[in-house]
Amino acid sequence: MERRLGETPVRDDRSAYASRGVGPDYDDMLHMSLLELKQEGRYRVFQEHRRIVGEFPLSVAVTAEGERVVTVWCSNDYLGMGQHPAVRAAMHDAVDGYGAGAGGTRNISGNHSPIIALESELAALHGKEAALVFGCGYLANLSTLAALGRLLPNCILISDQLNHASMIQGISASRAEKRVFQHNDVLHLEEILRSIPKHRCKVVAFESVYSMDGDIAPIREIVDLCERYGAMTYLDEVHAVGMYGPTGGGVAERDGLADRIHLVQGTLAKAFGVVGGYVAGSAVMIDAIRSHANGFIFTSALPPAVAAGALASIRHLRASDAEREKMHANVRKLRTRLREERIPFLDAASHIVPVMVGDAARCKAVCDLLFERHSIYVQPINYPTVPYGSERLRITASPVHTDRMIDDLATALADVWRDLQLPFARGTV
């Protein structure tokens, strides 16, 4: 039976799962969970890609039928920095100078020079005293919030309703008291803050750009409230670093608020084009996290080549605004073409363009038709990433998508919309 890469074969003969001894049949139980995903249309299929250096956003997709060049419209390498010559050169030089791996955790032998330089650059990017690099952004959020909840006495962690899973899990791991405010609702946040004694430790955790809806938090109003009620601010800028502000410091930098944020968390895996996560703040805060966060202490350091590539990317984007300007211009062009074709999308304030489908099976069908008929690659976004009934495509335009590519995408979406008899928009959603 032919299948796409990453797909688990469906066993039609349930007798194959007959008990082989005493106790539960664990494969059978797990198989049922996979069947449920497939029946709901939520089973995730991983497509093998071979990115073409120097030709982003083109990629070679490897399928059972062979290979084909596709245009990628869902990459988190927002600015194409993963293929930038300066980034690749820095990584080559680091491999030649330091070897492949870091050699251990930071405490043991992995505290290499490129990662020290990277942390210094990240601190400067956000106007902070210090920064700390983790293996990924997920780990940075989880470990830092868990540590804060444990270290700050009688702490209460206050979280936006739509915060990323990494933040939710970090708050849960802290075992501190938790409160949740309605998404971007400063009135509800104030109601919560007002109910907590001012002398009690409070951390308000929120994001700048929310990646599924593309909306941006009212950072100024949240910071005002936190200062009024004595709360610490924890801002996730994962989808904003490199993308906003005169030097790519994020939405807080763009809005002149960076110096009022206590801790900022970011990633090296999106606009900066490599991999890794980090937090930046005061020297004392960063030292405390370095000394207590299990997800930092017990994990190997980023390889020198990755740190060197990230450093080159950040330095380039701090000096160059060309990539950001072109990317935002392409986002505006894309939205214009989607309106012209009456494709329903959320017209949010950020660079993220969510095209709304509203059904998991149809969402996958849209993606399959775009791939098979138009050589356009985009992945369905289904539950639990988004709520049931709000399934969507998450489209991202880079600075190197051409006008022709934008026009082809809009035309292809209209073709697929008609073929699947999906409702067109009267206006934007």
Side-chain angles (χ1 to χ4, degrees):
M1 179 178 68
E2 289 189 357
R3 60 187 176 92
R4 294 175 70 180
L5 187 71
E7 185 174 356
T8 300
V10 177
R11 301 196 187 191
D12 297 322
D13 181 8
R14 296 301 305 280
S15 65
Y17 286 88
S19 176
R20 299 179 180 87
V22 177
D25 190 326
Y26 299 105
D27 271 5
D28 188 48
M29 295 175 182
L30 295 174
H31 178 65
M32 292 301 295
S33 72
L34 294 173
L35 284 179
E36 182 180 347
L37 287 178
K38 291 173 182 177
Q39 288 165 359
E40 293 181 8
R42 295 194 294 117
Y43 184 78
R44 296 171 190 244
V45 176
F46 294 169
Q47 173 63 57
E48 181 180 353
H49 280 273
R50 290 208 303 271
R51 281 160 46 108
I52 309 168
V53 172
E55 296 189 36
F56 182 79
L58 299 182
S59 179
V60 176
V62 182
T63 72
E65 293 76 30
E67 300 178 354
R68 69 161 74 180
V69 175
V70 296
T71 304
V72 177
W73 277 101
C74 56
S75 177
N76 281 343
D77 187 358
Y78 291 136
L79 301 177
M81 293 300 295
Q83 301 189 22
H84 194 281
V87 175
R88 291 189 285 118
M91 296 185 77
H92 280 294
D93 289 346
V95 167
D96 290 341
Y98 296 93
T105 67
R106 295 284 292 278
N107 182 58
I108 294 175
S109 62
N111 201 38
H112 51 76
S113 297
I115 209 166
I116 299 296
L118 173 61
E119 288 175 340
S120 177
E121 193 74 21
L122 287 165
L125 173 68
H126 294 288
K128 302 300 182 188
E129 292 177 341
L132 187 69
V133 169
F134 290 77
C136 65
Y138 195 104
L139 196 59
N141 264 335
L142 192 159
S143 303
T144 301
L145 286 167
L148 289 174
R150 291 195 309 268
L151 294 173
L152 298 173
N154 196 26
C155 180
I156 180 167
L157 294 166
I158 306 166
S159 175
D160 186 283
Q161 180 185 18
L162 295 187
N163 274 345
H164 191 264
S166 58
M167 301 173 78
I168 295 169
Q169 292 197 11
I171 290 169
S172 177
S174 76
R175 299 187 179 180
E177 184 180 345
K178 172 182 73 173
R179 297 286 297 275
V180 177
F181 64 96
Q182 295 171 11
H183 179 53
N184 282 347
D185 189 335
V186 293
L187 293 178
H188 188 214
L189 175 59
E190 182 169 22
E191 180 183 323
I192 292 171
L193 288 169
R194 191 187 300 119
S195 70
I196 304 170
K198 282 194 174 182
H199 65 270
R200 186 173 178 186
C201 294
K202 307 173 276 293
V203 178
V204 175
F206 62 107
E207 302 180 37
S208 58
V209 176
Y210 287 85
S211 64
M212 288 301 114
D213 288 349
D215 55 335
I216 294 178
I219 300 177
R220 187 178 302 277
E221 290 86 344
I222 291 174
V223 169
D224 287 344
L225 286 176
C226 289
E227 290 175 349
R228 186 182 311 159
Y229 291 97
M232 176 180 165
T233 47
Y234 182 97
L235 177 61
D236 177 318
E237 290 253 42
V238 159
H239 293 276
V241 290
M243 306 285 285
Y244 299 87
T247 68
V251 178
E253 183 197 34
R254 182 197 70 179
D255 295 348
L257 299 167
D259 61 333
R260 298 173 66 188
I261 302 295
H262 289 95
L263 268 177
V264 60
Q265 183 266 348
T267 184
L268 306 171
K270 293 181 171 59
F272 295 131
V274 285
V275 70
Y278 65 90
V279 290
S282 72
V284 170
M285 286 185 181
I286 296 303
D287 197 15
I289 295 163
R290 181 190 69 87
S291 300
H292 291 278
N294 289 341
F296 173 80
I297 294 170
F298 297 105
T299 56
S300 294
L302 281 185
V306 173
L311 179 61
S313 182
I314 294 165
R315 285 177 173 169
H316 175 85
L317 290 175
R318 288 187 72 192
S320 171
D321 203 35
E323 291 83 2
R324 284 185 287 275
E325 289 182 353
K326 180 61 175 174
M327 179 273 300
H328 288 296
N330 279 348
V331 172
R332 290 191 293 271
K333 290 177 183 176
L334 174 60
R335 288 193 174 111
T336 296
R337 285 294 290 117
L338 293 180
R339 290 190 193 97
E340 290 172 353
E341 298 291 350
R342 297 192 300 117
I343 302 300
F345 69 96
L346 297 181
D347 195 3
S350 76
H351 60 284
I352 295 165
V353 182
V355 170
M356 307 305 291
V357 180
D359 176 83
R362 286 184 167 189
C363 201
K364 185 178 186 308
V366 169
C367 295
D368 288 345
L369 276 179
L370 286 172
F371 183 88
E372 294 160 8
R373 189 179 293 175
H374 299 282
S375 294
I376 287 173
Y377 179 76
V378 62
Q379 278 288 68
I381 305 294
N382 297 327
Y383 179 85
T385 309
V386 295
Y388 282 111
S390 68
E391 290 83 2
R392 66 197 65 184
L393 316 180
R394 180 184 176 276
I395 295 177
T396 53
S398 76
V400 289
H401 280 94
T402 65
D403 289 351
R404 174 64 182 272
M405 289 175 180
I406 293 170
D407 189 62
D408 287 347
L409 173 63
T411 303
L413 281 168
D415 171 62
V416 170
W417 238 250
R418 284 189 294 269
D419 191 282
L420 296 175
Q421 298 183 343
L422 295 172
F424 285 88
R426 296 180 179 178
T428 54
V429 176

